[in-house]
Amino acid sequence: MDVRAIRYFVEVVQLNGFSRAAKSLFITQPAISRSIQKLEQELGYILLVRAPDGVKLTDEGEILYRYGVQLLELFNNMKKSLKERSGPLAGILHVGLPPVIASTYFADIIMKFSQSYPDIELKIHELGTRKMMDALLNGEVETAAVMLPFDNEDYDLHIFATDRLVLLVNEQHALFEKETVKFSELVNEPFIFFSDDFLINELVISACGIYGKQPIIAGRSHHLDLVTAMVKAGVGVTLLPDSMWNKSNSKGLSAISVIEPVLSYDLALATLKSSHQNRRVKLWHDLAVEMLKDQSH
């Protein structure tokens, strides 16, 4: 079976017409028609029929189209792999990192990668986990760090850490001296939330829901410095990752362990299963796995 014929067939289906496919592929319409006819003869089935508004797939055509799209993606990935294997180790690597964990876990990794591979330009995309999913799907990001849960079916995930949220209050707050606090004590507090697409917010919303409450939101920001500044100014309290607090440890603030329930989550490296994994992605992933393993010890 000719891969070119599969490409012609898929293009006709996706553009819903022979003439549009011919223009897209820069070949003549008769050439496409002959190629698809030959494909039908080889398989022994009619694959599509012309219709007033374009083309219509037969049942057999539906099957070929579904597998044909996958076949072309595999074929293109194979060509990319072969090309990159012999090419120079350079180019741009698009890495997605949520702002709430980027500096905590990845500052040293970024530095080490840049030193080890100076001809690769690192482009860091700071996105929340929800936007990260879309960025991976549309190719804007090639590899990312995400908070779980994440779509396990479409992504390869490598869990590298478990983190928990701690309560951050200023020194005028009644809870400042406490070492632990039950979440039931917080449901009427005004919260400083991170931006809408951060899954940390959902942990807090779910915990409030246990007590039949909606969180009181006094402010939002995706910048840690602004969140802590609002807490220090008495605008509200916030819940942030324990690992992040350990890195910042701002004066005039206290981080208190939250219990009943403990709000914890896993962090993972993520790549899209169906995408071509070039050498840059593999080098980043291998280095990140190695260094994150050392951080956890």
Side-chain angles (χ1 to χ4, degrees), residues 8-258:
Y8 291 174
F9 171 75
V10 168
E11 195 78 5
V12 168
V13 175
Q14 290 181 339
L15 296 181
N16 194 31
F18 284 82
S19 60
R20 285 187 285 271
K23 290 179 181 178
S24 173
L25 295 166
F26 301 102
I27 60 173
T28 65
Q29 185 173 330
I32 291 184
S33 298
R34 286 194 300 271
S35 178
I36 294 178
Q37 286 172 3
K38 184 178 179 182
L39 193 58
E40 290 177 325
Q41 291 169 2
E42 182 180 350
L43 295 173
Y45 297 106
I46 299 298
L47 300 173
L48 51 79
V49 293
R50 297 176 187 267
D53 58 347
V55 295
K56 183 178 179 181
L57 285 170
T58 64
D59 291 344
E60 294 79 12
E62 290 274 7
I63 294 172
L64 180 63
Y65 175 72
R66 185 170 67 251
Y67 284 100
V69 170
Q70 296 176 24
L71 176 64
L72 291 176
E73 185 172 16
L74 286 171
F75 185 73
N76 289 334
N77 285 343
M78 178 194 69
K79 291 199 299 183
K80 287 181 181 178
S81 294
L82 291 171
K83 182 178 179 181
E84 289 185 349
R85 187 168 182 82
S86 58
L89 192 57
I92 301 174
L93 175 60
H94 296 270
V95 177
L97 298 176
V100 293
I101 66 172
S103 59
T104 306
Y105 290 97
F106 288 89
D108 292 341
I109 297 171
I110 291 170
M111 182 183 301
K112 177 68 173 177
F113 187 89
S114 297
Q115 291 171 346
S116 301
Y117 310 104
D119 292 330
I120 298 177
E121 178 187 343
L122 268 181
K123 187 167 184 181
I124 306 299
H125 300 256
E126 290 192 284
L127 302 169
T129 293
R130 292 203 176 282
K131 290 184 179 178
M132 200 76 76
M133 194 177 292
D134 293 336
L136 282 164
L137 282 172
N138 64 32
E140 179 186 351
V141 165
E142 298 171 271
T143 180
V146 297
M147 287 178 59
L148 301 187
F150 208 66
D151 185 347
N152 292 330
E153 292 185 2
D154 293 330
Y155 303 89
D156 286 318
L157 299 173
H158 177 91
I159 296 175
F160 63 83
T162 298
D163 214 339
R164 60 184 292 176
L165 300 185
V166 295
L167 175 70
L168 196 65
V169 299
N170 68 11
E171 56 190 355
Q172 284 80 41
H173 198 280
L175 298 172
F176 184 78
E177 298 291 344
K178 296 194 71 171
E179 293 185 1
T180 63
V181 60
K182 295 180 181 180
F183 194 87
S184 58
E185 300 176 63
L186 306 178
V187 293
N188 295 317
E189 291 282 348
F191 285 101
I192 309 300
F193 264 25
F194 288 93
S195 299
D196 287 341
D197 61 315
F198 284 62
L199 289 182
I200 285 175
N201 299 339
E202 294 193 10
L203 291 176
V204 181
I205 292 170
S206 297
C208 286
I210 294 173
Y211 302 96
K213 297 277 190 175
Q214 288 287 332
I216 302 167
I217 303 173
R220 291 180 184 268
S221 176
H222 65 275
H223 292 293
L224 175 61
D225 289 345
L226 289 178
V227 171
T228 55
M230 283 190 276
V231 173
K232 192 174 289 189
V235 177
V237 302
T238 196
L239 289 157
L240 80 169
D242 188 31
S243 60
M244 181 183 293
W245 169 252
N246 288 333
K247 291 279 186 176
S248 58
N249 202 12
S250 300
K251 292 182 179 179
L253 297 172
S254 176
I256 306 165
S257 295
V258 179

